[in-house]
Structures are given as structure tokens and as C-alpha cells.
Amino acid sequence: YGTSGGTEKKTISSISGAQINLTGALAYDHPSPARVSNLTRNVVIKGADSTYTAYILNLNQTAPANFSLHSAQISYMGKNSANKWGVTFLSARGTIDFSSIHEGYYGLYLQDSSSNSFTNNLVYGHSGRGIYSNISFSNTFAANQSYASGPGIWLDSSDNNTLASNEIYSGG
């Protein structure tokens, strides 16, 4: 993230030794070393456009392994409508790891959902909260990055959750 408070999404055009070349110039000054994150993933789940009309609703109430997203790229999900916030866990169980959730309404929304695991994810560019937990307990949020969203991680009436080594910057 930039020292002037801005984040930027750029494409690497080439790498030569320690030199990284981008397809365009940076708009902000960045501290050294600058944060660089891989935004691409193996599986892409994408809404049709930036109007956020698509969503993922997890209703799995059995083993967390029955809803597992690994190395997924999830974008343009959610809207300001009940249970359609983005990637929504509604009284549900599951795991999301090594994934990117970006440019939607909310990134990850938990309602009455407990004993879930969210690790090593990138959550960014949302018009609402990056990660929101409401009345959800005993979840693990570890080594996630949340930036350029409203509040990065927001816990509301959610006790006994584990938050470890998360990075939140350039937004709430």
C-alpha cells in the first residue's frame, strides 16, 4: 500500500533477477519493501460484472470439509440484500484458504456460523466490509490480508474467535 494511503493493482510484465517490471507506472509512493501479493488463483468464480448481482450462499451444517474453497479467486459477488452479501455463511460450516475474494459488496459474511477456518486469504476492494462476523463463534481467521475495503475485519457479537497474523491496511 502507498504511503499516501492508496493501494494499487498492477500486472507484472517481466522479472529479471531482483528487478520487477510492471505494465504501467505506479500512481503512489510506496515504502521499501513494498507489499506484493499474487492476486490470481487456479479456480475463478466471478459475477457477471461489478453490479454485484451474484453471490455464494453456504448452508452446509455438517463437517467443514463439505464446503471447502482452496486457491479460488472470487470476484464481483454480493449486494445489499439479506443473505446475498458476497460469500455468505448462514448457520454454516466450512473452510476457505489460499483464496482471493475481491471487488464485491462484502467479502466474507458470517451469520450464526461457528467452527470455521479462513486462512491465507486476500480480501480486498469491497464497497462494504472485508470480513464480517455476526453472532458467530469459535472461528479461526489466520494469516489473511484485508485491504481497500471498509472495516477490514469486523466482529459483532462474536466471541471466542481466533485472530492470528492477519494484516489489515488501507481501509477500516
Side-chain angles (χ1 to χ4, degrees):
Y1 59 97
T3 55
S4 57
T7 56
E8 299 183 68
K9 185 165 110 176
K10 297 291 180 180
T11 301
I12 295 174
S13 60
S14 65
I15 300 174
S16 177
Q19 179 72 35
I20 297 174
N21 299 304
L22 306 175
T23 55
L26 295 172
Y28 301 104
D29 291 329
H30 294 272
S32 181
R35 159 78 56 202
V36 177
S37 299
N38 179 2
L39 305 180
T40 60
R41 297 294 184 261
N42 294 333
V43 176
V44 177
I45 302 168
K46 184 176 182 179
D49 56 33
S50 60
T51 59
Y52 317 131
T53 56
Y55 61 94
I56 295 173
L57 179 59
N58 176 14
L59 300 172
N60 171 46
Q61 295 182 350
T62 58
N66 289 340
F67 182 95
S68 179
L69 291 175
H70 180 81
S71 298
Q73 178 180 334
I74 304 164
S75 61
Y76 301 125
M77 294 284 167
K79 60 183 177 178
N80 188 5
S81 180
N83 304 327
K84 298 178 182 178
W85 307 107
V87 179
T88 303
F89 279 54
L90 184 59
S91 300
R93 299 184 68 199
T95 63
I96 301 177
D97 57 3
F98 296 98
S99 296
S100 67
I101 305 170
H102 59 92
E103 298 166 309
Y105 185 68
Y106 280 17
L108 178 61
Y109 186 98
L110 279 72
Q111 176 70 45
D112 297 311
S113 297
S114 300
S115 302
N116 298 293
S117 177
F118 308 98
T119 59
N120 293 296
N121 298 297
L122 292 169
V123 181
Y124 66 94
H126 297 284
S127 58
R129 296 172 173 99
I131 298 171
Y132 179 68
S133 175
N134 186 39
I135 315 172
S136 297
F137 309 97
S138 303
N139 296 295
T140 299
F141 302 93
N144 298 294
Q145 295 177 42
S146 181
Y147 61 94
S149 296
I153 298 177
W154 184 285
L155 304 179
D156 188 9
S157 301
S158 296
D159 298 326
N160 299 319
N161 290 288
T162 300
L163 285 85
S165 301
N166 295 291
E167 297 181 16
I168 302 168
Y169 47 95
S170 190

